[in-house]
Amino acid sequence: MIKYLVILLLACNTLQAQYFHRIPLCYNGIKPVRYNVPYNSQYQYNYQVTNGTVVNYNNGNVLVDWNDNPGSGQLTITVTNDLNCGSSINLIMETLPCNLTTIYAPNAFTPNRDGINDSFKVKGTNLRYFELTVYNRWGNQLFFTRNINVGWNGTYKGRLCPQAVYGYKVTYQDHQNYYHTIVGKVSLVR
């Protein structure tokens, strides 16, 4: 799994961003997670982790092995320039017990075939039923799936959809057999 984090060196000793990452403990332990930070060889990078270990870091790629117990952890990345001026970001990681249903839908995607965010895909754990429908602004259905592993690639009938905001509806059944509906918007960015 790769997560992308953005840090900008704008002012000294500032927290530029805070990210959150939830990981279920359902899958035979937590596998190391790769976080990608835009890298500039003119800066120095410092990585600090609680409730985990930095396994490897190279040119902005940070591989963190989070501990396999319920709780939370934190990855702090500090970037310093040659004038000793630094900025940092925090990533708060939370492990979730497997008897919880979680669902996440991003608010934007970029279907430009670069391998990063190329489809609008909803993620979740402990779902008994799932369906995703994507609509244009006039309410016409552009995409439908019952497979949580399949996302919308930003096309309709083989043609590229324009950059715009699209509506979606997710219907799912949680681990206690209750049905829920989430309605939201996603930005297609080209």
Side-chain angles (χ1 to χ4, degrees), residues 109 111 118-120 143 151-156 159-160 188 190:
F109 72 111
D118 281 334
S119 65
F120 172 62
F143 176 79
W152 179 47
N153 64 1
T155 63
Y156 178 63
R159 300 182 74 180
L160 297 176
L188 187 160
R190 294 215 182 267

Side-chain angles (χ1 to χ4, degrees), residues 5-171:
L5 310 176
V6 177
I7 185 170
L8 300 172
L9 195 60
L10 297 175
C12 283
N13 302 318
T14 59
L15 176 68
Q16 292 304 120
Q18 186 159 315
Y19 297 89
F20 298 91
H21 187 191
R22 300 174 115 189
I23 302 173
L25 288 172
C26 308
Y27 309 112
N28 301 322
I30 300 172
K31 306 294 185 243
V33 180
R34 182 173 309 280
Y35 299 97
N36 185 283
V37 179
Y39 182 77
N40 185 330
S41 62
Q42 297 175 13
Y43 301 142
Q44 295 177 351
Y45 292 76
N46 180 29
Y47 307 96
Q48 295 178 336
V49 177
T50 57
N51 201 17
T53 306
V54 174
V55 177
N56 189 5
Y57 57 91
N58 184 16
N59 294 342
N61 288 309
V62 183
L63 189 63
V64 177
D65 191 4
W66 296 107
N67 294 342
D68 280 343
N69 51 13
S72 62
Q74 181 170 308
L75 167 64
T76 301
I77 303 171
T78 304
V79 179
T80 309
N81 65 14
D82 57 351
L83 300 173
N84 206 23
C85 184
S87 293
S88 56
I89 60 170
N90 286 332
L91 177 119
I92 308 297
M93 183 281 307
E94 179 184 5
T95 54
L96 301 173
C98 287
N99 62 352
L100 293 178
T101 297
T102 62
I103 195 149
Y104 166 76
N107 60 6
F109 72 111
T110 56
N112 56 6
R113 296 186 184 147
D114 67 353
I116 302 169
N117 287 331
D118 281 334
S119 65
F120 172 62
K121 193 181 289 187
V122 175
K123 302 205 186 254
T125 59
N126 291 324
L127 302 174
R128 295 180 183 250
Y129 176 80
F130 170 84
E131 66 181 36
L132 166 67
T133 310
V134 177
Y135 303 94
N136 64 14
R137 65 180 174 175
W138 297 281
N140 299 325
Q141 181 178 316
L142 303 178
F143 176 79
F144 176 81
T145 185
R146 287 193 175 106
N147 185 344
I148 196 165
N149 297 311
V150 174
W152 179 47
N153 64 1
T155 63
Y156 178 63
K157 294 185 178 181
R159 300 182 74 180
L160 297 176
C161 293
Q163 178 171 309
V165 176
Y166 294 86
Y168 68 85
K169 181 171 85 169
V170 174
T171 301

